[in-house]
């Protein structure tokens, strides 16, 4: 049987809605992302990864956002967890003077402007506790998914990428998703065993390079924060071209190692539906619907047929 890895990138609440559309369209086409050998999740993608590994069917990701009727499996999981977290995104009053979160991180950024900015920004004030609570409820006391799941975060003080579920770090899945989702300057860093962690997107919005040398036949990458070439033009000015270049470098490494890659990035229509505020909950329905449609179109392209056949073989 072929070996497939899945990468679910960063992108906030809107990015999670994009994931819902893409993964549901893939499920319609015959690939259930729960069948991936390893799922790598970053920020928004970490929550989706944990949800899938808890048994939530990909088809129901779109149904949930579009108000459709959930399958019995999905309904039981929602009853257990209460569904997606409802976050109070209003900034909290600071009790201490505003200071850079990690001045030393600027020196350790190694030319990564996102890491440098993270060090200079003040720490966020919004708690991620609700995110962790909902994820932990999915697992009913189990510390980690049974199937390989890698959750990416960044050590705020040391500056390096941390991969929960792969590295030797003892943390439950709820803590890992909280850490991976801690957008710098917005959410509070997540403290665990004497370290402070922030969003894995600070290192890379996708972290697809983790699969280099993993001997997969195919890696599927869902990248809400980048865009196709046309999508980048439609989004100007934005950081999408920067993220697309980062993704292109990771894809090049995978292909150089002999791994087939299938990427999903927002098209101009997706970009329009997603808007410019990644935390705009009002964009969830439109983004899911548009991502569903654009992914169906992409999967109908004859150029994708061989890779789609690999995916279908995994879920057959």
């Amino acid at each position: 049987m072929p070996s497939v890895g899945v990468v679910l990138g960063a992108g906030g609440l809107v990015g999670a809605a994009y994931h819902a559309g893409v993964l549901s369209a893939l499920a319609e086409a015959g690939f259930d992302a729960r069948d991936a050998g390893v799922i790598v999740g970053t920020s928004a993608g970490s929550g989706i990864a944990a949800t899938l590994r808890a048994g939530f069917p990909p088809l129901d990701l779109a149904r949930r956002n579009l108000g459709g009727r959930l399958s019995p499996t999905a309904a039981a999981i929602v009853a257990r967890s209460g569904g997606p977290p409802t976050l109070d995104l209003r900034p909290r009053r600071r009790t201490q003077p505003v200071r850079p979160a990690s001045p030393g991180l600027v020196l350790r950024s190694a030319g990564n402007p996102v890491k440098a900015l993270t060090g200079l920004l003040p720490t966020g004030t919004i708690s991620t506790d609700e995110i962790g609570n909902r994820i932990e409820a999915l697992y009913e006391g189990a510390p980690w998914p049974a199937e390989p799941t890698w959750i990416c975060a960044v050590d705020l003080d040391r500056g390096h990428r941390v991969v929960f579920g792969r590295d030797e770090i003892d943390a439950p899945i709820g803590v890992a998703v909280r850490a991976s989702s801690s957008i710098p300057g917005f959410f509070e860093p997540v403290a665990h065993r004497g370290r402070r962690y922030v969003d894995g997107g600070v290192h890379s919005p996708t972290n697809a390079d983790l699969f280099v040398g993993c001997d997969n036949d195919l890696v599927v990458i869902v990248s809400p924060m980048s865009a196709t070439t046309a999508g980048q033009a439609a989004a100007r000015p934005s950081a999408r071209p920067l993220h697309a270049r980062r993704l292109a470098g990771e894809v090049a490494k995978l292909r150089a190692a002999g791994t087939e890659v299938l990427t999903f990035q927002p098209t101009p229509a997706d970009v329009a539906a997603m808007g410019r505020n990644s935390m705009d909950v009002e964009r969830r329905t439109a983004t899911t619907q548009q991502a569903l449609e654009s992914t169906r179109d992409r999967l109908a392209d004859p150029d994708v047929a061989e890779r789609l056949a690999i995916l279908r073989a995994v879920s057959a």
Side-chain angles (χ1 to χ4, degrees):
M1 178 183 295
S3 174
V4 170
V6 168
V7 174
L8 304 176
L13 296 176
V14 175
Y18 181 78
H19 282 306
V22 173
L23 294 171
S24 292
L26 281 167
E28 289 176 352
F31 173 63
D32 186 324
R34 294 175 296 179
D35 296 328
V38 178
I39 300 179
V40 172
T42 300
S43 197
S46 72
I48 299 294
T51 301
L52 291 172
R53 286 308 202 202
F56 199 89
L59 281 172
D60 288 297
L61 292 171
R63 290 173 184 154
R64 181 174 62 182
N65 287 352
L66 299 176
R69 183 172 183 174
L70 300 182
S71 69
T73 298
I77 291 173
V78 169
R80 192 162 75 227
S81 68
T86 302
L87 299 172
D88 181 354
L89 300 179
R90 293 172 297 178
R92 310 297 189 267
R93 176 176 294 180
R94 297 181 183 274
T95 58
Q96 296 180 348
V98 176
R99 297 188 179 92
S102 179
L105 185 57
V106 179
L107 302 176
R108 302 184 185 96
S109 63
N112 185 323
V114 179
K115 280 189 180 180
L117 178 61
T118 297
L120 291 173
L121 285 172
T123 56
T125 60
I126 300 173
S127 172
T128 56
D129 286 351
E130 179 65 13
I131 295 173
N133 292 340
R134 293 297 178 94
I135 293 297
E136 289 174 3
L138 291 174
Y139 288 87
E140 299 182 305
W144 200 260
E147 300 297 326
T149 309
W150 297 351
I151 303 299
C152 301
V154 167
D155 186 312
L156 180 57
D157 299 299
R158 298 177 182 177
H160 60 254
R161 175 173 61 190
V162 173
V163 185
F164 294 98
R166 186 200 67 168
D167 299 346
E168 293 297 322
I169 303 174
D170 182 19
I173 186 66
V175 169
V177 172
R178 286 178 57 216
S180 186
S181 303
S182 181
I183 301 172
F186 190 73
F187 287 120
E188 294 174 340
V190 173
H192 182 68
R193 297 190 181 278
R195 308 305 310 170
R196 294 187 300 162
Y197 299 101
V198 292
D199 197 316
V202 169
H203 181 85
S204 162
T206 44
N207 291 291
D209 61 307
L210 289 173
F211 278 125
V212 174
C214 288
D215 198 30
N216 288 292
D217 296 288
L218 175 66
V219 171
V220 176
I221 304 173
V222 187
S223 177
M225 292 188 69
S226 60
T228 62
T229 301
Q232 293 171 45
R236 291 175 182 165
S238 76
R240 290 188 184 276
L242 173 67
H243 301 320
R245 287 194 295 273
R246 181 62 184 248
L247 174 61
E250 295 174 355
V251 169
K253 290 178 182 178
L254 286 165
R255 287 178 172 154
T259 302
E260 287 284 339
V261 181
L262 179 59
T263 61
F264 295 92
Q265 303 180 76
T267 64
D270 295 327
V271 167
M274 295 170 82
R276 293 186 176 274
N277 179 4
S278 65
M279 300 303 288
D280 186 355
V281 69
E282 298 299 325
R283 296 273 181 170
R284 180 182 293 165
T285 299
T287 297
T288 300
Q289 184 61 51
Q290 178 54 48
L292 192 61
E293 293 172 5
S294 62
T295 305
R296 287 167 177 162
D297 290 342
R298 178 152 166 72
L299 294 174
D301 187 336
D303 289 342
V304 178
E306 289 187 9
R307 285 166 287 175
L308 183 55
I310 293 173
L311 295 176
R312 286 170 171 161
V314 169
S315 291

